[in-house]
Amino acid sequence: MNGPWTIEMLARNGEVLHRYRVAALPIRVGRAYDNDFIVDDDYTAPHHVLIEAGEDGKLLLRDLGTRNGIVHKGRRVTELGLDGDTVVRMGHTSLRVRGADYPVPPELRDRTMHGWEGLLPGAAGALLTGMVALLAAWLTDRGAFELERYVQALAAGVGIGLLWSGLWAFNNRVFGRHARLGRHMFIFGCGMAALLGFRLLESVLAYAYSWEWLTRYGSHAAVLTVAGVIYFHLATVKPQLRRRLRAMCAALAMLASGLVLVGNQQRHGRVADELYMSVLLPPEMRASPDAPVAEFIGQVKAMRAEIDAERKRRPGDDG
């Protein structure tokens, strides 16, 4: 590495907190004010390490006999050769030294979508969440209208949304420098609207066209929607890892769907969520023709024959 040299102080997630350029070797690092690089860390010594040129011309980091020493990859060392990617820890401080000739990767494409930040997307997400909560309360309301019930549903929905979005915003602040609470709230609101919208759509289509598989396996669509919501949260935190995050969320969705199938089989003896379509809507919404009575009776007779044959089988016939 050629000078001048830049000392970088790193956060736990690898983000650079501070940079300081030094023109000449050796470089003294510690808490004392006569150092070339001063570390504000009570767990470092006044004169902790010395960075100098080694015999091979490369940088060499040397411990100056301190109590806590220097740690590299979990192991304490007294001397360590440095390249541009070597990270050492002294006390609670992580440092990295890079020369002026260290190669810098090309400019990244901006995928942070700065327009979807702040009050507007947050308000839109809160509005979507509130509408979903009110609609869900109305659909499940079987008694007389009570305003208090809807106010409680609205407060609970928005509160849960703020809590969920706040946790993601905290992670965004820790791992991505910015909280982006408004965008996380918008993602949550869109996810809740998609969940309820698909639930209503599948119920209508299943009843109208006798597509019972929509209600029998509707939980897998919910799993896919939740995986999509989690992906957009993670992509907001780390937009440069979108490809990996897509693969990870797809794998998690497949795993969750498999667990749903296994759970249904263990609880009910079948992989479907329910045995029959339980959704009942007004008859005017039926689009497929009704089955004649004779066809229904024929199906019952065939089912009866299968049940009688199963009942007559001896226990040892299956081997």
Side-chain angles (χ1 to χ4, degrees), residues 258-270:
L259 293 176
V260 169
L261 295 176
V262 173
N264 289 339
Q265 180 66 34
Q266 291 179 345
R267 287 193 302 268
H268 313 300
R270 59 182 183 276

Side-chain angles (χ1 to χ4, degrees), residues 60 132 167 198 248:
L60 179 66
V132 168
L167 292 175
F198 178 81
M248 182 184 69

Side-chain angles (χ1 to χ4, degrees), residues 13 36 54-55 64 67 74 84 90 109 115 169 190 213 252 262 275 309:
N13 61 354
D36 300 298
E55 296 180 356
L64 297 178
R67 175 181 299 176
M90 34 186 274
R109 183 179 179 181
C190 291
W213 57 270
L252 290 176
V262 173
L275 181 60

Side-chain angles (χ1 to χ4, degrees), residues 9-231:
M9 183 181 297
L10 307 178
R12 292 185 177 181
N13 61 354
E15 298 283 348
V16 178
L17 299 177
H18 178 67
R19 288 189 175 99
Y20 183 77
R21 175 168 287 189
V22 180
L25 296 176
I27 304 172
R28 296 173 299 173
V29 181
R31 281 191 297 116
Y33 288 96
D34 59 348
N35 288 292
D36 300 298
F37 183 79
I38 301 173
V39 178
D40 187 14
D41 186 346
D42 292 337
Y43 297 92
T44 60
H47 301 92
H48 202 102
V49 297
L50 184 69
I51 303 173
E52 57 188 354
E55 296 180 356
D56 56 357
K58 297 182 180 180
L59 290 185
L60 179 66
L61 180 79
R62 183 161 54 87
D63 182 20
L64 297 178
T66 60
R67 175 181 299 176
N68 294 323
I70 54 178
V71 178
H72 175 62
K73 294 183 179 180
R75 299 179 60 184
R76 180 166 178 169
V77 296
T78 57
E79 290 186 354
L80 181 67
L82 301 179
D83 58 26
D85 297 319
T86 305
V87 178
V88 296
R89 180 171 58 84
M90 34 186 274
H92 291 176
T93 303
S94 296
L95 298 178
R96 179 174 62 195
V97 182
R98 288 180 170 176
D101 57 347
Y102 184 84
V104 178
E107 178 185 7
L108 297 176
R109 183 179 179 181
D110 188 2
R111 299 179 181 273
T112 53
M113 300 175 62
H114 297 288
W116 286 96
E117 297 179 11
L119 180 61
L120 182 60
L127 179 62
L128 280 174
T129 304
M131 292 176 61
V132 168
L134 291 176
L135 182 58
W138 178 71
L139 291 174
T140 57
D141 192 2
R142 297 293 183 267
F145 174 79
E146 295 182 6
L147 180 61
E148 181 181 358
R149 185 181 307 167
Y150 289 88
V151 173
Q152 290 177 350
L154 177 62
V158 176
I160 293 173
L162 287 174
L163 178 61
W164 173 270
S165 304
L167 292 175
W168 281 105
F170 175 77
N171 290 318
N172 212 141
R173 181 66 179 87
V174 172
F175 298 103
R177 295 186 180 182
H178 304 284
R180 296 192 169 97
L181 176 62
R183 189 185 304 182
H184 287 293
M185 188 67 192
F186 181 75
I187 293 172
F188 177 81
C190 291
M192 295 302 100
L195 283 173
L196 182 61
F198 178 81
R199 180 61 178 171
L200 295 176
L201 182 62
E202 72 169 1
S203 300
V204 172
L205 293 179
Y207 180 80
Y209 296 99
S210 299
W211 292 345
E212 297 186 5
W213 57 270
L214 278 176
T215 56
R216 290 183 178 181
Y217 300 98
S219 59
H220 301 283
V223 168
L224 184 62
T225 303
V226 172
V229 170
I230 293 176
Y231 162 73

